[in-house]
């Protein structure tokens, strides 16, 4: 495998892509929250006009649904251009072939995401809208992966990491990521089909408990890089649970306090949107945590679990003799 040196400008440009992507995701989440996905019946044109010539700003006062949907399309165009630039920079500065392929895969994901959005409009299919939403999380996770492998700690791990108690962290990282994937899919089913609410609530609480265990194991690994994302993932999960509770109150009301829900109110739309976007952030955080755990495991010379087992074996053999 071709080695590489840390490229700070490349790394920071990859990080800047997150800001552009979050703009696109937020616009898409707003479209879903307002049920404005079919504001236009055509794609990639908008009411027969090209994406760049359509009088978008005029819709701010006259048609909010079209304003949101066309804004989402423009944000999609922006992230596409941004990722093309990122792929070019990775191809120019990065030496690792597999990282270059990862960047190309990210671009392919952005293109596929746009096509999925187009088919959702052409076919007027809510099932495709759900797939479109989940694939957005996959694209975000791919970008998070690229940022991680371009970082200094990842590249310099073989020289900076010697030992770590990482054994139990590996299966936990995979389990938490798998459950968060299911949880995100259940959230999509609620948004687009109105089903899976109780399963979503129950699994959310279980994931929160598991995230606590994961954070404790990560903190005890002896590696700050892993401990940081373990605790960060826990805080993200707890924040998402809190947002879920607030979204529930905004959607259904809270009779005990006298709060009555108002359909499509600003608070309801805003909370649903933030809850969805933050859910993508939580999913990506779980991916990054798993990547760090397995990176540390791959470069650790002696895993403490093996060392402990060997010391116990030697002690047992000494006692038997």
């Amino acid at each position: 495998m071709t080695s590489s040196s840390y490229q700070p400008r490349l790394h920071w440009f990859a990080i800047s892509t997150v800001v552009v992507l979050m703009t696109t995701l937020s616009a898409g989440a707003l479209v879903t929250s307002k049920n404005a996905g079919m504001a236009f019946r055509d794609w990639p044109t908008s009411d027969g006009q090209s994406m760049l010539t359509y009088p978008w700003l005029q819709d701010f006062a006259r048609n909010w649904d079209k304003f949101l949907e066309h804004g989402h399309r423009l944000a999609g165009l922006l992230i596409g251009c941004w990722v093309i630039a990122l792929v070019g920079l990775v191809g120019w500065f990065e030496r690792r072939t597999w990282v270059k392929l990862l960047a190309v895969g990210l671009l392919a994901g952005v293109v596929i995401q746009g096509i999925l959005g187009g088919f959702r409009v052409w076919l007027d299919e809510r099932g495709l809208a759900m797939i479109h939403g989940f694939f957005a999380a996959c694209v975000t996770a791919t970008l998070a992966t690229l940022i991680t492998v371009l970082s200094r700690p990842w590249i310099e791990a073989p020289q900076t990491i010697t030992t770590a108690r990482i054994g139990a962290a590996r299966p936990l990282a995979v389990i938490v990521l798998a459950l968060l994937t299911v949880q995100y899919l259940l959230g999509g089913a609620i948004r687009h089909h109105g089903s899976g609410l109780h399963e979503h609530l129950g699994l959310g609480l279980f994931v929160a408990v598991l995230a606590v265990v994961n954070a404790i194991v990560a903190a005890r690994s002896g590696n700050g890089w892993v401990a940081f994302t373990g605790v960060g993932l826990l805080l993200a999960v707890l924040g998402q649970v809190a947002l879920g509770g607030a979204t529930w109150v905004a959607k259904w009301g809270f009779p005990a306090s006298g709060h009555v829900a108002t359909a499509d109110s600003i608070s309801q739309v805003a909370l649903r949107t933030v809850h969805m976007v933050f859910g993508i952030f939580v999913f990506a955080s779980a991916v990054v945590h798993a990547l760090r755990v397995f990176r540390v495991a791959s470069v650790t010379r002696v895993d403490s679990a093996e060392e402990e087992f060997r010391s116990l074996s030697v002690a047992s053999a000494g006692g038997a003799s």
Side-chain angles (χ1 to χ4, degrees):
M1 180 174 57
T2 304
S3 60
S4 182
S5 59
Y6 176 59
Q7 303 285 341
R9 293 180 181 178
L10 177 60
H11 184 217
W12 280 106
F13 187 85
I15 292 174
S16 74
T17 310
V18 176
V19 179
V20 182
L21 181 61
M22 283 298 140
T23 302
T24 308
L25 294 175
S26 299
L30 270 173
V31 167
T32 305
S33 298
K34 286 288 293 177
N35 197 27
M38 292 303 299
F40 298 101
R41 294 286 172 172
D42 54 336
W43 181 89
T45 55
S46 298
D47 285 345
Q49 299 186 56
S50 72
M51 198 173 296
L52 294 178
T53 60
Y54 179 81
W56 173 51
L57 294 177
Q58 294 180 16
D59 283 332
F60 183 79
R62 66 186 184 187
N63 193 317
W64 188 242
D65 285 357
K66 288 189 175 183
F67 178 79
L68 290 176
E69 171 59 16
H70 193 74
H72 178 46
R73 294 183 180 189
L74 291 175
L77 178 62
L78 177 61
I79 187 60
C81 294
W82 206 277
V83 170
I84 288 173
L86 176 59
V87 171
L89 290 172
V90 170
W92 183 264
F93 291 105
E94 181 57 50
R95 296 173 59 188
R96 293 167 291 177
T97 302
W98 66 273
V99 176
K100 295 180 181 181
L101 292 175
L102 178 63
V104 173
L106 173 63
L107 177 58
V110 171
V111 172
I112 292 172
Q113 178 70 348
I115 293 173
L116 282 172
F119 274 106
R120 184 267 185 273
V121 172
W122 286 347
L123 302 177
D124 191 7
E125 175 57 53
R126 296 191 69 88
L128 277 175
M130 180 176 171
I131 296 173
H132 185 58
F134 177 69
F135 202 74
C138 295
V139 171
T140 305
T142 304
L143 175 59
T145 300
L146 182 61
I147 292 171
T148 301
V149 301
L150 289 173
S151 67
R152 184 191 296 274
W154 179 283
I155 293 172
E156 298 180 356
Q159 291 77 43
T160 59
I161 300 174
T162 54
T163 61
R165 295 182 295 274
I166 210 72
R170 283 177 287 187
L172 265 175
V174 173
I175 292 171
V176 171
L177 176 57
L179 291 179
L180 282 173
T181 302
V182 176
Q183 181 71 343
Y184 187 82
L185 286 170
L186 287 172
I190 294 172
R191 288 178 66 85
H192 297 286
H193 299 291
S195 60
L197 176 60
H198 294 93
E199 295 87 346
H200 186 63
L201 293 173
L203 184 59
L205 294 176
F206 179 71
V207 170
V209 173
L210 199 60
V212 173
V213 178
N214 179 70
I216 293 172
V217 171
R220 297 179 62 182
S221 68
N223 182 273
W225 198 44
V226 167
F228 182 82
T229 48
V231 175
L233 179 58
L234 170 61
L235 295 176
V237 169
L238 294 179
Q240 182 70 342
V241 170
L243 281 171
T247 303
W248 172 279
V249 172
K251 176 70 175 177
W252 305 107
F254 193 63
S257 65
H259 175 73
V260 178
T262 303
D264 290 331
S265 64
I266 294 176
S267 60
Q268 187 181 108
V269 171
L271 282 169
R272 290 181 63 198
T273 300
V274 173
H275 187 52
M276 177 184 176
V277 174
F278 200 75
I280 294 177
F281 171 77
V282 173
F283 176 73
S285 298
V287 171
V288 171
H289 176 66
L291 286 168
R292 291 190 178 190
V293 166
F294 279 89
R295 178 57 168 168
V296 171
S298 69
V299 301
T300 299
R301 296 172 188 170
V302 180
D303 190 281
S304 63
E306 292 185 20
E307 188 177 41
E308 183 179 357
F309 176 76
R310 290 173 184 172
S311 64
L312 288 174
S313 299
V314 171
S316 299
S321 61

